[in-house]
């Protein structure tokens, strides 16, 4: 099946061609062939590289994304959280994607700083180390000391990186629309995946967003003695520059070298409970809690840094997760299926019997295990695999939360292999529900429910008036949209055309037969020429009709 043409914008032609050549290099030419891109850019060459040919699909995707640059590396990192969409072998490779790149010169970054504040960096600080502490795909980080003596880190966006990313996003949006128009991969919406990715990477391009995230986490943990969040210097923060308090600590994965100074058990518990508090109480969590983003301070305190990737989770989703977790502990398959239906995760054409069967197997395996033996990474991976195999559509925030918990468990087990996150999660959940079921919270929830009910009740007369006026003006319309109607319409058109042509052929044959019995001049071999022409025309039309029917049947 050929797709309709992909017509890239003129200024994107070179970059689109580059993307196609790299995809072709790693064996993904089928994509270009499917959407007729070769007719726009010419034949895509595939280098004969035995190393590439011996790679797995996941390895080829990872290498292609690395070569395609920052936008595709970020896309791969987002997709690495989607266990509900991709196989584990591909996810494993995508998780290896790193956005560490060679640094730009200090002068280049200073020009970006000048564009934001109309002054050079040296004019704003007392001292700056011109050698970057870190160099990522979007920005570079420097250590500096302000005139006040405060130590800070200054993150500056790379020059022109926004233009590069926006061009790639424009290309990806067009491709996602084409895929949605012409492919049906178990109900996957490519444009929805694109929108999720686009929103995430555009937020990362605005350092004000990260700064506000940091301030929000400071507010969340302001009463937590064991959690520290750095302070933002807003005078030196803008869309492309972020200035944040310098944290003097060690990375959590370096704790082995300082074992005698720190309590690993306490640190791991503080880390886990911090994320649990963010998720279940505030619905706003640090979505990238890998060991590099956690610093250890004195007295077993931890500091969180890098707030570019955060997750949001609403109350309904928290209730959904809670119901599934409780159902697992009491071996209640029906409650899980009910929760999935409530979240619209199960489509109308889903095989519900298969869902029940697979769920029973899943629950049977984990129900008999003690909490200390349950591996959260394995549990979540298996559950998301079950969702993928049964075409269940989970909210994207569930996938991001799953990735966060998997990253959290991996980091915690590096410093405390014997810890059980499931036990701490259960303990936290008990306290959470105990607080939720307190008289104060029940009264508060009741207040909001009554307020919402009264608001809906108050608006009911107005909505009824609008409905009655619409009925009076005959403005009520019922729209039925079913893809099968389109197929029926095409079939009816085809059948109608066949019948029409058949009638014409029949008319020609009957008319020619009548003419043949007369002696109308001129004649050929004793028969009227007009009758012979009629027979020939009907024969040709009949042959064409038969050929067209065969071709249509083969296409179907």
């Amino acid at each position: 099946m050929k797709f309709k043409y992909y017509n890239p914008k003129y200024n994107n032609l070179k970059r689109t061609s580059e993307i196609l050549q790299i995809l072709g290099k790693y064996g993904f030419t089928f994509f270009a062939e499917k959407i007729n891109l070769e007719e726009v850019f010419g034949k895509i060459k595939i280098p004969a590289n035995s190393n590439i040919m011996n790679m797995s699909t996941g390895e080829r995707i990872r290498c292609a994304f690395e070569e395609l640059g920052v936008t595709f590396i970020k896309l791969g990192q987002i997709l690495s959280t989607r266990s509900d969409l991709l196989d584990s072998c591909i996810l494993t490779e995508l998780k290896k994607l790193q956005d560490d790149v060679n640094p730009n010169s200090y002068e280049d970054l200073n020009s970006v700083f000048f564009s934001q504040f109309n002054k050079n960096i040296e004019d704003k600080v007392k001292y700056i180390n011109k050698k970057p502490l870190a160099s990522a795909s979007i920005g570079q980080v420097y250590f500096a000391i302000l005139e006040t003596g405060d130590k800070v880190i200054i993150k500056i966006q790379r020059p022109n990186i926004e233009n590069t990313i926006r061009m790639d996003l424009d290309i990806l949006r067009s491709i996602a629309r084409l895929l949605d128009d012409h492919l049906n991969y178990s109900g996957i919406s490519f444009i929805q995946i694109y929108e999720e990715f686009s929103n995430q990477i555009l937020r990362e391009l605005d350092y004000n967003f990260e700064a506000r995230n940091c301030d929000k986490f400071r507010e969340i943990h302001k009463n937590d003695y064991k959690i520290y969040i750095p302070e933002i210097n807003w005078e030196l923060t803008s869309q492309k520059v972020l200035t944040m308090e310098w944290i003097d600590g060690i990375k959590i994965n370096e704790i082995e070298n300082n074992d005698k100074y720190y309590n690993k058990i306490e640190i791991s518990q503080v880390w886990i409970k911090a994320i649990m508090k963010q998720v279940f109480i505030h619905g706003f969590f640090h979505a990238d809690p890998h060991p590099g983003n956690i610093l250890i301070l004195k007295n077993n305190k931890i500091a969180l840094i890098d707030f570019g990737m955060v997750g949001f989770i609403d109350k309904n989703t928290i209730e959904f997760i809670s119901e599934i977790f409780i159902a697992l502990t009491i071996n209640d398959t029906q409650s899980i299926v009910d929760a999935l239906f409530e979240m619209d995760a199960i489509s109308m054409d889903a095989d519900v019997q298969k869902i029940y069967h697979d769920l029973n197997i899943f629950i049977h395996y984990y129900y008999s295990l003690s909490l200390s033996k349950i591996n959260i990474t394995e549990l979540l991976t298996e559950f998301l695999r079950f969702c993928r195999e049964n075409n269940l559509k989970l909210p994207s925030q569930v996938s991001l939360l799953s990735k966060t918990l998997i990253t959290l468990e991996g980091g915690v087990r590096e410093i405390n292999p014997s810890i059980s996150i499931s036990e701490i999660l259960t303990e936290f959940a008990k306290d959470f529900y105990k607080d939720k079921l307190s008289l104060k919270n029940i009264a508060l929830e009741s207040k909001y429910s009554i307020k919402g009910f009264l608001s809906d009740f108050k608006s009911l007369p107005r909505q009824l008036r609008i409905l009655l006026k619409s009925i009076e003006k005959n403005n009520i319309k019922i729209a039925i949209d079913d893809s099968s109607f389109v197929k029926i319409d095409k079939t009816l058109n085809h059948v109608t055309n066949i019948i029409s042509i058949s009638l014409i052929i029949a008319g020609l044959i009957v008319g020619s037969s009548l003419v043949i019995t007369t002696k109308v001049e001129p004649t050929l071999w004793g028969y009227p020429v007009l009758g012979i022409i009629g027979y020939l025309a009907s024969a040709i039309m009949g042959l064409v009709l038969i050929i067209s029917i065969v071709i249509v049947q083969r296409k179907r």
Side-chain angles (χ1 to χ4, degrees):
M1 178 183 69
K2 286 283 186 180
F3 290 178
K4 66 183 180 183
Y5 285 104
Y6 166 53
N7 296 313
K9 293 181 180 178
Y10 178 77
N11 57 343
N12 292 346
L13 284 171
K14 183 178 179 181
R15 176 56 176 165
T16 306
S17 178
E18 179 186 355
I19 291 171
L20 292 176
Q21 294 301 330
I22 293 173
L23 290 176
K25 173 182 174 180
Y26 289 96
F28 298 111
T29 53
F30 72 91
F31 173 71
E33 293 166 357
K34 280 286 186 183
I35 56 176
N36 295 334
L37 291 180
E38 290 192 344
E39 299 187 34
V40 181
F41 299 100
K43 189 71 177 175
I44 297 173
K45 300 177 182 178
I46 310 175
N49 189 321
S50 59
N51 292 331
I52 293 176
M53 291 173 63
N54 292 329
M55 289 180 178
S56 67
T57 301
E59 288 174 324
R60 288 187 287 119
I61 292 174
R62 174 178 57 80
C63 291
F65 279 13
E66 286 175 340
E67 196 166 330
L68 285 167
V70 53
T71 312
F72 288 83
I73 289 173
K74 292 291 184 183
L75 174 60
Q77 290 172 341
I78 293 291
L79 290 176
S80 71
T81 70
R82 299 306 300 268
S83 304
D84 56 322
L85 298 180
L86 301 173
D87 290 331
S88 58
C89 56
I90 296 177
L91 294 173
T92 300
E93 290 299 323
L94 292 178
K95 287 173 184 175
K96 297 177 183 178
L97 286 169
Q98 302 292 327
D99 57 1
D100 295 333
V101 295
N102 294 325
N104 283 78
S105 68
Y106 174 78
E107 289 70 26
D108 287 341
L109 276 296
N110 184 55
S111 66
V112 175
F113 186 95
F114 188 88
S115 71
Q116 300 295 296
F117 300 105
N118 292 320
K119 285 191 176 182
N120 294 316
I121 300 175
E122 288 91 339
D123 298 330
K124 285 285 192 178
V125 301
K126 184 178 181 180
Y127 165 80
I128 183 165
N129 185 345
K130 295 184 179 182
K131 182 179 179 181
L133 295 173
S135 178
S137 53
I138 291 181
Q140 293 178 195
V141 180
Y142 296 89
F143 172 79
I145 301 176
L146 303 179
E147 295 292 344
T148 59
D150 294 331
K151 296 178 180 179
V152 296
I153 61 102
I154 302 177
K155 181 158 71 170
I156 307 174
Q157 196 172 112
R158 289 175 179 271
N160 300 319
I161 191 68
E162 183 175 353
N163 293 335
T164 301
I165 289 174
R166 288 188 181 277
M167 179 184 293
D168 284 350
L169 288 177
D170 192 43
I171 296 169
L172 284 171
R173 181 177 60 250
S174 299
I175 293 173
R177 284 174 176 167
L178 280 174
L179 292 174
D180 270 344
D181 286 343
H182 299 283
L183 292 180
N184 182 19
Y185 284 152
S186 303
I188 294 173
S189 170
F190 291 96
I191 198 68
Q192 186 177 349
I193 295 172
Y194 163 80
E195 292 293 347
E196 177 189 338
F197 165 64
S198 175
N199 291 337
Q200 174 62 43
I201 197 169
L202 290 176
R203 283 197 294 260
E204 290 190 42
L205 286 173
D206 185 354
Y207 287 166
N208 286 311
F209 179 79
E210 181 175 350
R212 288 192 294 270
N213 290 340
C214 184
D215 276 355
K216 187 166 183 177
F217 281 116
R218 276 181 67 85
E219 179 65 23
I220 288 173
H221 294 291
K222 65 181 179 181
N223 296 322
D224 295 333
Y225 169 71
K226 290 293 183 178
I227 307 291
Y228 190 79
I229 308 295
E231 188 174 357
I232 298 294
N233 183 308
W234 282 101
E235 290 184 5
L236 291 179
T237 293
S238 67
Q239 182 181 352
K240 296 185 178 182
V241 177
L242 174 66
T243 304
M244 180 187 295
E245 176 187 358
W246 162 263
I247 302 295
D248 187 13
I250 65 168
K251 290 184 179 180
I252 201 165
N253 53 1
E254 296 173 355
I255 200 173
E256 290 292 339
N257 302 326
N258 302 272
D259 200 11
K260 61 182 180 180
Y261 300 110
Y262 301 101
N263 185 326
K264 293 181 180 179
I265 296 176
E266 183 181 0
I267 289 171
S268 57
Q269 289 179 343
V270 169
W271 187 8
I272 294 169
K273 288 180 179 179
I275 299 298
M276 293 301 102
K277 178 179 181 178
Q278 293 168 16
V279 172
F280 289 101
I281 296 178
H282 298 279
F284 176 76
F285 59 95
H286 194 303
D288 195 19
H290 66 76
N293 287 338
I294 312 295
L295 298 178
I296 308 299
L297 311 179
K298 293 178 181 179
N299 300 321
N300 297 314
K301 292 177 67 172
I302 69 170
L304 306 180
I305 59 173
D306 194 351
F307 306 99
M309 183 179 289
V310 296
F312 302 88
I313 191 161
D314 56 59
K315 288 184 178 181
N316 289 337
T317 306
I318 290 176
E319 290 292 337
F320 166 72
I321 295 168
S322 302
E323 286 176 20
I324 287 182
F325 187 77
I326 292 170
L328 281 173
T329 61
I330 61 175
N331 195 16
D332 186 359
T333 306
Q334 185 62 54
S335 292
I336 296 179
V337 174
D338 290 344
L340 290 169
F341 269 116
E342 188 69 25
M343 291 296 293
D344 291 328
I346 301 177
S347 62
M348 296 298 293
D349 57 348
D351 187 346
V352 179
Q353 290 302 318
K354 182 177 184 301
I355 292 173
Y356 273 107
H357 177 266
D358 291 352
L359 259 181
N360 280 323
I361 295 173
F362 174 73
I363 293 177
H364 177 76
Y365 179 77
Y366 287 100
Y367 175 65
S368 58
L369 292 178
S370 63
L371 286 173
S372 60
K373 293 182 179 179
I374 292 179
N375 184 303
I376 291 293
T377 299
E378 183 182 307
L379 174 69
L380 290 172
T381 302
E382 282 296 312
F383 181 73
L384 291 172
R385 183 183 61 80
F386 152 76
C387 292
R388 186 177 68 251
E389 289 180 352
N390 288 279
N391 301 329
L392 304 183
K393 298 178 183 178
L394 294 178
S396 59
Q397 53 192 336
V398 173
S399 298
L400 184 58
L401 176 59
S402 299
K403 177 256 184 186
T404 300
L405 293 177
I406 289 171
T407 305
L408 174 65
E409 182 173 59
V412 167
R413 288 191 184 277
E414 281 188 29
I415 62 171
N416 187 8
S418 62
I419 195 168
S420 171
I421 291 187
S422 53
E423 284 186 331
I424 297 176
L425 178 60
T426 304
E427 180 186 338
F428 182 89
K430 287 179 181 177
D431 294 337
F432 170 71
Y433 277 103
K434 189 184 295 183
D435 181 63
K436 186 178 180 181
L437 296 173
S438 66
L439 290 176
K440 180 181 177 182
N441 277 332
I442 290 174
L444 192 63
E445 288 289 334
S446 300
K447 175 185 173 183
Y448 288 138
S449 297
I450 292 170
K451 187 177 179 181
F453 173 77
L454 291 175
S455 177
D456 292 340
F457 187 76
K458 189 184 295 183
S459 63
L460 187 60
R462 179 177 57 83
Q463 292 173 349
L464 283 173
R465 281 197 301 271
I466 294 172
L467 177 62
L468 291 172
K469 284 182 180 179
S470 297
I471 294 173
E472 185 181 355
K473 294 178 180 179
N474 198 26
N475 287 336
I476 301 294
K477 295 180 181 179
I478 298 176
I480 300 175
D481 184 14
D482 195 324
S483 58
S484 60
F485 287 169
V486 178
K487 295 179 182 178
I488 293 172
D489 184 53
K490 288 181 179 179
T491 303
L492 286 174
N493 285 335
H494 182 63
V495 170
T496 303
N497 291 337
I498 290 175
I499 292 172
S500 300
I501 295 172
S502 299
L503 290 173
I504 293 172
I505 294 171
L508 281 172
I509 293 172
V510 171
S512 300
S513 298
L514 293 173
V515 172
I516 285 291
T517 60
T518 65
K519 299 296 183 181
V520 177
E521 297 290 343
T523 60
L524 180 65
W525 302 310
Y527 296 102
V529 173
L530 188 60
I532 295 172
I533 293 173
Y535 278 133
L536 287 173
S538 60
I540 293 170
M541 290 179 68
L543 184 62
V544 170
L545 179 61
I546 292 169
I547 292 172
S548 68
I549 291 172
V550 171
I551 291 173
V552 170
Q553 197 64 35
R554 283 186 177 181
K555 284 184 178 180
R556 287 179 179 174

